[in-house]
PDB file of all heavy atoms in Angstrom:
ATOM      1  N   GLU A1649      15.399  22.431   7.962  1.00 86.00           N
ATOM      2  CA  GLU A1649      15.937  23.841   7.786  1.00 86.00           C
ATOM      3  C   GLU A1649      17.382  23.725   7.452  1.00 86.00           C
ATOM      4  O   GLU A1649      17.796  24.460   6.451  1.00 86.00           O
ATOM      5  CB  GLU A1649      15.718  24.653   9.059  1.00 86.00           C
ATOM      6  CG  GLU A1649      14.232  25.218   9.098  1.00 86.00           C
ATOM      7  CD  GLU A1649      14.054  26.020  10.342  1.00 86.00           C
ATOM      8  OE1 GLU A1649      14.848  26.027  11.211  1.00 86.00           O
ATOM      9  OE2 GLU A1649      12.845  26.504  10.465  1.00 86.00           O
ATOM     10  N   ASP A1650      18.051  22.833   8.167  1.00 84.00           N
ATOM     11  CA  ASP A1650      19.572  22.706   7.951  1.00 84.00           C
ATOM     12  C   ASP A1650      19.704  22.174   6.469  1.00 84.00           C
ATOM     13  O   ASP A1650      20.569  22.699   5.658  1.00 84.00           O
ATOM     14  CB  ASP A1650      20.191  21.577   8.841  1.00 84.00           C
ATOM     15  CG  ASP A1650      20.955  22.383   9.926  1.00 84.00           C
ATOM     16  OD1 ASP A1650      20.889  23.561   9.971  1.00 84.00           O
ATOM     17  OD2 ASP A1650      21.635  21.776  10.639  1.00 84.00           O
ATOM     18  N   SER A1651      18.862  21.195   6.093  1.00 85.00           N
ATOM     19  CA  SER A1651      19.079  20.488   4.815  1.00 85.00           C
ATOM     20  C   SER A1651      18.714  21.463   3.719  1.00 85.00           C
ATOM     21  O   SER A1651      19.265  21.521   2.646  1.00 85.00           O
ATOM     22  CB  SER A1651      18.114  19.255   4.797  1.00 85.00           C
ATOM     23  OG  SER A1651      17.675  19.097   3.525  1.00 85.00           O
ATOM     24  N   LYS A1652      17.717  22.395   4.049  1.00 83.00           N
ATOM     25  CA  LYS A1652      17.215  23.295   3.007  1.00 83.00           C
ATOM     26  C   LYS A1652      18.305  24.463   2.760  1.00 83.00           C
ATOM     27  O   LYS A1652      18.409  25.010   1.669  1.00 83.00           O
ATOM     28  CB  LYS A1652      16.025  24.049   3.321  1.00 83.00           C
ATOM     29  CG  LYS A1652      14.700  23.308   3.005  1.00 83.00           C
ATOM     30  CD  LYS A1652      13.525  23.994   3.322  1.00 83.00           C
ATOM     31  CE  LYS A1652      12.224  23.277   2.894  1.00 83.00           C
ATOM     32  NZ  LYS A1652      11.098  23.954   3.425  1.00 83.00           N
ATOM     33  N   SER A1653      19.091  24.711   3.831  1.00 83.00           N
ATOM     34  CA  SER A1653      20.103  25.835   3.651  1.00 83.00           C
ATOM     35  C   SER A1653      21.449  25.227   3.124  1.00 83.00           C
ATOM     36  O   SER A1653      22.359  26.019   3.060  1.00 83.00           O
ATOM     37  CB  SER A1653      20.307  26.533   4.973  1.00 83.00           C
ATOM     38  OG  SER A1653      20.648  25.570   5.948  1.00 83.00           O
ATOM     39  N   ILE A1654      21.562  23.929   2.821  1.00 88.00           N
ATOM     40  CA  ILE A1654      22.687  23.318   2.157  1.00 88.00           C
ATOM     41  C   ILE A1654      22.411  23.322   0.658  1.00 88.00           C
ATOM     42  O   ILE A1654      21.452  22.742   0.175  1.00 88.00           O
ATOM     43  CB  ILE A1654      23.127  22.078   2.769  1.00 88.00           C
ATOM     44  CG1 ILE A1654      23.546  22.256   4.198  1.00 88.00           C
ATOM     45  CG2 ILE A1654      24.204  21.354   1.924  1.00 88.00           C
ATOM     46  CD1 ILE A1654      23.799  20.871   4.887  1.00 88.00           C
ATOM     47  N   ILE A1655      23.240  23.991  -0.170  1.00 86.00           N
ATOM     48  CA  ILE A1655      22.984  24.114  -1.512  1.00 86.00           C
ATOM     49  C   ILE A1655      23.723  23.127  -2.325  1.00 86.00           C
ATOM     50  O   ILE A1655      24.908  22.893  -2.155  1.00 86.00           O
ATOM     51  CB  ILE A1655      23.242  25.635  -1.969  1.00 86.00           C
ATOM     52  CG1 ILE A1655      22.251  26.522  -1.359  1.00 86.00           C
ATOM     53  CG2 ILE A1655      23.125  25.737  -3.579  1.00 86.00           C
ATOM     54  CD1 ILE A1655      22.679  27.955  -1.202  1.00 86.00           C
TER      55      ILE A1655
ATOM     56  N   ASN B1209      19.038  30.074  -4.742  1.00 90.00           N
ATOM     57  CA  ASN B1209      20.061  29.374  -4.052  1.00 90.00           C
ATOM     58  C   ASN B1209      21.418  29.851  -4.357  1.00 90.00           C
ATOM     59  O   ASN B1209      22.276  29.892  -3.392  1.00 90.00           O
ATOM     60  CB  ASN B1209      19.889  27.916  -4.281  1.00 90.00           C
ATOM     61  CG  ASN B1209      18.830  27.269  -3.511  1.00 90.00           C
ATOM     62  OD1 ASN B1209      18.442  27.755  -2.473  1.00 90.00           O
ATOM     63  ND2 ASN B1209      18.283  26.018  -3.876  1.00 90.00           N
ATOM     64  N   LEU B1213      24.276  31.391  -1.784  1.00 91.00           N
ATOM     65  CA  LEU B1213      25.694  30.880  -1.769  1.00 91.00           C
ATOM     66  C   LEU B1213      26.650  32.006  -1.939  1.00 91.00           C
ATOM     67  O   LEU B1213      27.618  32.150  -1.193  1.00 91.00           O
ATOM     68  CB  LEU B1213      25.782  29.876  -2.815  1.00 91.00           C
ATOM     69  CG  LEU B1213      27.175  29.115  -2.801  1.00 91.00           C
ATOM     70  CD1 LEU B1213      27.313  28.205  -1.642  1.00 91.00           C
ATOM     71  CD2 LEU B1213      27.306  28.234  -4.120  1.00 91.00           C
ATOM     72  N   ALA B1218      24.298  30.687   2.832  1.00 87.00           N
ATOM     73  CA  ALA B1218      24.093  29.278   2.791  1.00 87.00           C
ATOM     74  C   ALA B1218      24.951  28.543   3.856  1.00 87.00           C
ATOM     75  O   ALA B1218      26.049  29.110   4.297  1.00 87.00           O
ATOM     76  CB  ALA B1218      24.513  28.720   1.508  1.00 87.00           C
ATOM     77  N   LYS B1219      24.407  27.580   4.591  1.00 86.00           N
ATOM     78  CA  LYS B1219      25.061  26.810   5.701  1.00 86.00           C
ATOM     79  C   LYS B1219      26.086  25.887   5.128  1.00 86.00           C
ATOM     80  O   LYS B1219      27.056  25.503   5.865  1.00 86.00           O
ATOM     81  CB  LYS B1219      24.069  26.151   6.602  1.00 86.00           C
ATOM     82  CG  LYS B1219      23.378  27.063   7.528  1.00 86.00           C
ATOM     83  CD  LYS B1219      22.602  26.184   8.522  1.00 86.00           C
ATOM     84  CE  LYS B1219      21.820  27.151   9.452  1.00 86.00           C
ATOM     85  NZ  LYS B1219      21.004  26.362  10.386  1.00 86.00           N
ATOM     86  N   GLY B1220      25.867  25.450   3.937  1.00 90.00           N
ATOM     87  CA  GLY B1220      26.866  24.465   3.362  1.00 90.00           C
ATOM     88  C   GLY B1220      26.686  24.337   1.828  1.00 90.00           C
ATOM     89  O   GLY B1220      25.670  24.898   1.281  1.00 90.00           O
ATOM     90  N   ILE B1221      27.615  23.577   1.187  1.00 92.00           N
ATOM     91  CA  ILE B1221      27.434  23.307  -0.214  1.00 92.00           C
ATOM     92  C   ILE B1221      27.694  21.830  -0.501  1.00 92.00           C
ATOM     93  O   ILE B1221      28.621  21.233   0.201  1.00 92.00           O
ATOM     94  CB  ILE B1221      28.392  24.235  -1.054  1.00 92.00           C
ATOM     95  CG1 ILE B1221      28.217  23.897  -2.557  1.00 92.00           C
ATOM     96  CG2 ILE B1221      29.816  24.151  -0.596  1.00 92.00           C
ATOM     97  CD1 ILE B1221      28.896  24.966  -3.421  1.00 92.00           C
ATOM     98  N   ARG B1222      26.932  21.196  -1.340  1.00 92.00           N
ATOM     99  CA  ARG B1222      27.080  19.812  -1.594  1.00 92.00           C
ATOM    100  C   ARG B1222      28.254  19.612  -2.627  1.00 92.00           C
ATOM    101  O   ARG B1222      28.476  20.552  -3.457  1.00 92.00           O
ATOM    102  CB  ARG B1222      25.824  19.214  -2.229  1.00 92.00           C
ATOM    103  CG  ARG B1222      24.694  19.279  -1.262  1.00 92.00           C
ATOM    104  CD  ARG B1222      23.495  18.419  -1.859  1.00 92.00           C
ATOM    105  NE  ARG B1222      22.482  18.353  -0.772  1.00 92.00           N
ATOM    106  CZ  ARG B1222      21.519  19.150  -0.595  1.00 92.00           C
ATOM    107  NH1 ARG B1222      21.337  20.181  -1.362  1.00 92.00           N
ATOM    108  NH2 ARG B1222      20.521  19.025   0.371  1.00 92.00           N
ATOM    109  N   THR B1225      27.131  20.107  -6.123  1.00 93.00           N
ATOM    110  CA  THR B1225      26.918  21.480  -6.655  1.00 93.00           C
ATOM    111  C   THR B1225      28.231  22.062  -6.936  1.00 93.00           C
ATOM    112  O   THR B1225      28.512  22.752  -7.855  1.00 93.00           O
ATOM    113  CB  THR B1225      26.125  22.300  -5.448  1.00 93.00           C
ATOM    114  OG1 THR B1225      25.106  21.639  -5.080  1.00 93.00           O
ATOM    115  CG2 THR B1225      25.742  23.649  -5.971  1.00 93.00           C
TER     116      THR B1225
END
Side-chain angles (χ1 to χ4, degrees):
Chain A
E1649 279 173 357
D1650 258 11
S1651 155
K1652 274 186 177 172
S1653 59
I1654 294 173
I1655 294 157
Chain B
N1209 277 345
L1213 184 67
K1219 281 189 181 175
I1221 181 166
R1222 293 189 176 90
T1225 312

